[in-house]
């Protein structure tokens, strides 16, 4: 009985430590990456502007070939909405908020029916006639106690892989 009590107390202490760490950890996150693609900026922007194309390069769609996708509106225009459901990568939706033609796509992303938007963008800059810099970033809030994931999960790697996939797709 003493062993069970010690195990129970140890588990309570462990849970308390995790909750204290989560309480003092940042409740916001920022992630992203940048890459050079050997294609002109117009061609690159024409690929990333349409949310239906994201499945070709984003690493999350590739993790679940059975992801359920729904689209509402005209892709590549403000207000277009892409909703997904997945047992592997979770549920969510993206809404195009702003387009600076040929340069930048701003998107609000909602994860798992959360009403709080996370803000993402893909920005394309021409650095030579057949060379573009592409930057893809996200920032948002993670609710307590899930914010502890900020300490152990690096989303920068996901964005880096997504841009590597985009580069591979466009440079074929």
């Amino acid at each position: 009985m003493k062993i069970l009590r010690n195990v129970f107390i140890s588990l309570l202490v462990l849970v308390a430590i995790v909750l204290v760490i989560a309480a003092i950890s940042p409740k916001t996150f920022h992630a992203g990456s940048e890459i050079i693609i050997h294609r002109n900026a117009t061609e690159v922007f024409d690929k990333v502007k349409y949310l239906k194309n994201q499945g070709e390069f984003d690493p999350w769609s590739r993790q679940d070939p059975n992801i359920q996708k729904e689209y509402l509106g005209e892709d590549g225009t403000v207000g277009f909405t892409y909703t997904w459901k997945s047992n592997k990568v979770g549920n969510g939706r993206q809404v195009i908020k702003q387009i600076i033609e040929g340069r930048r796509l701003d998107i609000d992303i909602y994860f798992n029916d959360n009403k709080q938007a996370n803000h993402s963008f893909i920005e394309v800059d021409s650095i030579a006639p057949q060379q573009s810099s592409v930057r893809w970033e996200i920032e948002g809030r993670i609710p307590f106690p899930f914010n502890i994931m900020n300490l152990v999960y690096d989303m920068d790697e996901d964005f880096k892989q997504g841009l590597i996939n985009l580069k591979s797709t466009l440079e074929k």
Side-chain angles (χ1 to χ4, degrees), residues 10-148:
S10 296
L11 284 174
L12 283 177
V13 168
L14 182 62
V15 168
I17 290 170
V18 168
L19 291 175
V20 167
I21 292 171
I24 61 174
S25 293
K27 312 278 185 298
T28 60
F29 69 93
H30 178 269
S33 190
E34 190 169 355
I35 199 165
I36 302 297
I37 297 178
H38 297 283
R39 289 285 183 255
N40 71 60
T42 301
E43 184 179 351
V44 174
F45 190 78
D46 284 347
K47 182 60 119 180
V48 300
K49 174 181 172 180
Y50 298 99
L51 296 185
K52 289 180 181 178
N53 290 338
Q54 277 191 3
E56 296 176 33
F57 60 89
D58 84 62
W60 308 284
S61 294
R62 290 175 173 212
Q63 290 177 31
D64 185 358
N66 298 317
I67 195 168
Q68 296 174 9
K69 301 176 182 182
E70 292 181 19
Y71 305 103
L72 180 63
E74 183 181 338
D75 198 1
T77 64
V78 172
F80 178 77
T81 303
Y82 158 48
T83 304
W84 71 91
K85 292 184 181 184
S86 168
N87 292 328
K88 291 185 179 180
V89 297
N91 304 327
R93 69 185 160 93
Q94 296 184 38
V95 181
I96 297 177
K97 296 309 282 185
Q98 177 178 309
I99 299 171
I100 300 172
E101 195 58 49
R103 175 122 168 88
R104 183 174 163 127
L105 176 71
D106 286 280
I107 305 164
D108 280 349
I109 304 176
Y110 303 85
F111 296 110
N112 298 316
D113 300 322
N114 190 344
K115 305 288 186 249
Q116 178 77 34
N118 299 287
H119 307 290
S120 179
F121 70 85
I122 300 175
E123 193 168 70
V124 179
D125 289 317
S126 178
I127 53 179
Q130 286 297 312
Q131 198 173 47
S132 303
S133 170
V134 181
R135 190 166 53 134
W136 188 12
E137 295 185 12
I138 188 171
E139 65 182 17
R141 296 189 57 78
I142 292 185
F144 172 85
F146 304 106
N147 62 310
I148 199 162

